């Protein structure tokens, strides 16, 4: 029995579903949320670690199956009536042009953001634990190396090691929630004014730290790190702020968007060009 829904609509719905699933899984990986987080934390509880690639791939395949089924129905329904190749050519060309337009917009916005003079604010945890408004921060607080955690990720043989060091007020006591962290790949800290070098290692005594130029990332503490704190009864604030001394990290989303949209647009335009040549040769 033929479907009452036209084949092109079935295909469009099916591939749109797959695209939404890809975006959902990508967001889950980026924000450590949703189904991705559930699977990762199950692996942490059972195996003590989790594989990033498989944690994203397996649910993506499972959730994409309904969309692939609809797309398959659309292709089978299209066998009864030949498709119009010129209409498909226009659609692919439009998608390619839209991808390049999104990439260009992301590059322009990124360059504008990079040229903008940032607002510099100071967070002195000796006086106030409230984060002021600003783009770049001078941060002064007690580095709690006794509570720091290391977190390593490995993808395709490339390993990245980071340490998350809690930053607190001098009056902080155990049982109070942690709200501020420093994300760093360094194993030592040298005060701006010089003097003694402090090791960033678990077991070292807390010391006063000054970050002269840092950007804040809200709620970017990795899920496994949160889970370790939870299992050790270390409270975390509802809103977490992770400082990074890599100030260019605030521009990463522009370049990632430009790369993905630009590559997708180029692939679509290349496919459209090849199809146009075939149509011209076939008359």
């Amino acid at each position: 029995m033929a479907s009452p829904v036209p084949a092109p609509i079935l295909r469009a719905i099916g591939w749109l579903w797959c695209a939404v699933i890809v975006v959902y899984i990508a967001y889950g990986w980026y924000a450590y949320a949703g189904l991705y987080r559930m699977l990762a934390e199950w692996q942490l509880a059972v195996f003590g670690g989790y594989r990033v690639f498989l944690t994203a791939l397996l649910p993506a395949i499972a959730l994409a199956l309904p969309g692939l089924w609809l797309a398959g129905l659309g292709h089978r329904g299209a066998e009864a009536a030949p498709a119009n190749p010129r209409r498909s050519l226009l659609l692919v060309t439009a998608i390619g042009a839209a991808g390049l337009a999104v990439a260009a917009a992301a590059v322009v916005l990124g360059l504008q953001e990079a040229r903008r003079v940032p607002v510099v604010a100071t967070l002195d945890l000796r006086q106030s634990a409230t984060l002021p408004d600003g783009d770049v921060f001078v941060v002064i607080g007690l580095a709690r190396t006794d509570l720091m955690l290391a977190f390593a990720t490995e993808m395709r043989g490339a390993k990245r090691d980071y340490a998350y060091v809690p930053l607190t007020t001098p009056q902080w006591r155990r049982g109070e929630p942690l709200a501020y962290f420093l994300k760093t790949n360094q194993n030592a800290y040298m005060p701006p004014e010089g003097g003694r070098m402090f090791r960033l290692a678990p077991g070292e005594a807390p010391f006063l730290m000054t970050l002269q130029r840092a950007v804040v990332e809200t709620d970017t503490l990795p899920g496994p790190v949160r889970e370790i704190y939870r299992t050790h009864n270390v409270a975390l604030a509802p809103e977490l702020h992770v400082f990074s001394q890599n100030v260019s990290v605030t521009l990463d989303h522009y370049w990632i968007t430009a790369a993905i949209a630009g590559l997708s647009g180029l692939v679509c335009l290349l496919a459209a060009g090849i199809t146009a040549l075939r149509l011209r040769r076939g008359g």
Side-chain angles (χ1 to χ4, degrees):
M1 180 177 177
S3 171
V5 182
I9 295 180
L10 282 177
R11 288 201 303 271
I13 294 174
W15 291 121
L16 179 61
W17 174 271
C18 293
V20 170
I21 294 304
V22 170
V23 172
Y24 170 72
I25 295 298
Y27 171 77
W29 165 78
Y30 178 78
Y32 195 74
L35 184 58
Y36 180 92
R37 176 175 180 173
M38 292 174 58
L39 290 176
E41 293 187 351
W42 174 79
Q43 294 176 76
L44 285 169
V46 176
F47 306 110
Y50 72 100
R51 295 184 175 273
V52 174
F53 181 72
L54 291 179
T55 304
L57 179 64
L58 295 181
I61 293 175
L63 294 176
L65 287 177
L68 294 174
W69 177 71
L70 284 176
L73 283 181
H75 283 292
R76 285 197 297 271
E79 293 176 357
N84 184 348
R86 298 190 183 278
R87 181 181 300 175
S88 300
L89 176 62
L90 290 175
L91 177 61
V92 174
T93 302
I95 294 175
L100 291 183
V102 170
V107 170
V108 170
L109 291 174
L111 291 175
Q112 288 180 347
E113 185 68 18
R115 293 170 182 167
R116 186 172 63 87
V117 178
V119 176
V120 180
T122 298
L123 172 64
D124 190 341
L125 292 172
R126 297 171 301 180
Q127 301 175 1
S128 173
T130 302
L131 184 70
D133 294 331
D135 302 313
V136 178
F137 296 89
V138 176
V139 185
I140 304 172
L142 199 66
R144 298 298 307 240
T145 46
D146 55 331
L147 294 174
M148 67 179 287
L149 289 176
F151 182 66
T153 59
E154 185 173 354
M155 293 186 66
R156 298 182 180 179
K159 189 175 182 181
R160 297 180 179 180
D161 294 285
Y162 290 101
Y164 291 86
V165 184
L167 302 174
T168 69
T169 65
Q171 297 79 26
W172 184 87
R173 296 292 180 268
R174 289 186 178 272
E176 297 177 358
L178 299 173
Y180 298 102
F181 294 83
L182 167 66
K183 174 184 176 182
T184 180
N185 57 2
Q186 300 177 357
N187 55 16
Y189 164 77
M190 175 65 76
E193 65 276 8
R196 174 192 169 191
M197 179 180 292
F198 296 89
R199 292 181 62 237
L200 295 177
E204 293 291 321
F207 60 89
L208 192 66
M209 172 182 281
T210 300
L211 305 177
Q212 289 187 310
R213 189 174 177 84
V215 293
V216 67
E217 305 172 34
T218 301
D219 288 330
T220 55
L221 194 67
V225 174
R226 299 187 195 188
E227 181 66 15
I228 293 174
Y229 279 124
R230 186 187 66 80
T231 56
H232 287 80
N233 297 318
V234 177
L236 298 177
E239 186 175 7
L240 301 175
H241 305 283
V242 179
F243 289 100
S244 171
Q245 293 178 289
N246 178 18
V247 295
S248 65
V249 72
T250 57
L251 302 175
D252 286 351
H253 58 283
Y254 291 110
W255 313 139
I256 292 173
T257 300
I260 294 176
L263 181 60
S264 301
L266 288 174
V267 169
C268 289
L269 291 180
L270 179 61
I274 294 174
T275 302
L277 287 176
R278 289 179 177 176
L279 289 176
R280 182 174 297 178
R281 290 175 182 174

